[in-house]
């Protein structure tokens, strides 16, 4: 194997990213607008640090708007923030709700 080889058989396409739809002329554009790792909602501790530490601290809620994450509100605890982040279906952008 070479220095820049990807893991897996060489006769199969990479599974790291979904294929672009050949019939959709805007497929490359849509692909760039997807959030990193397909996470449309995320939460961060208000004062920084690891998200699992101090679960009773408030959290900043962020939602993907197609270009960047923008603040969407706050949550009083880790459990409330996780509930908010998991309300959205996997792979469903916020605008589709």
């Amino acid at each position: 194997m070479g220095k820049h080889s990807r893991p897996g058989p060489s006769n199969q396409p990479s599974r790291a990213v979904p294929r672009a739809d050949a019939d959709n002329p805007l497929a490359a554009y849509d692909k760039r607008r997807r959030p990193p790792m397909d996470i449309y909602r995320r939460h961060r501790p208000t004062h920084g640090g690891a998200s699992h530490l101090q679960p009773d601290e408030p959290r900043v809620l962020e939602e993907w708007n197609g270009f960047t994450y923008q603040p969407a509100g706050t949550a009083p605890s880790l459990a409330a923030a996780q509930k908010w982040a998991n309300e959205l279906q996997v792979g469903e952008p916020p605008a589709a709700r």
Side-chain angles (χ1 to χ4, degrees), residues 43-82:
H43 54 87
R44 300 281 182 245
T46 306
H47 301 291
S51 64
H52 65 284
L53 298 177
Q54 301 170 339
D56 297 329
E57 294 243 341
R59 306 282 191 224
V60 175
L61 306 175
E62 298 175 335
E63 198 164 30
W64 181 256
N65 69 0
F67 298 100
T68 186
Y69 285 102
Q70 64 183 10
T74 59
S77 67
L78 175 61
Q82 288 174 335

Side-chain angles (χ1 to χ4, degrees), residues 1 5 8 11 16 18 29 36 39 42 46 52 58 63 66 72 79-81 84:
M1 291 197 120
S5 295
N11 63 346
Y29 174 75
I39 298 174
R42 69 181 187 185
T46 306
H52 65 284
E63 198 164 30
W84 175 83

Side-chain angles (χ1 to χ4, degrees), residues 1-2 4-15 19:
M1 291 197 120
H4 298 286
S5 295
R6 65 174 181 79
S10 60
N11 63 346
Q12 293 181 0
S14 174
R15 294 174 299 230
R19 292 179 175 221

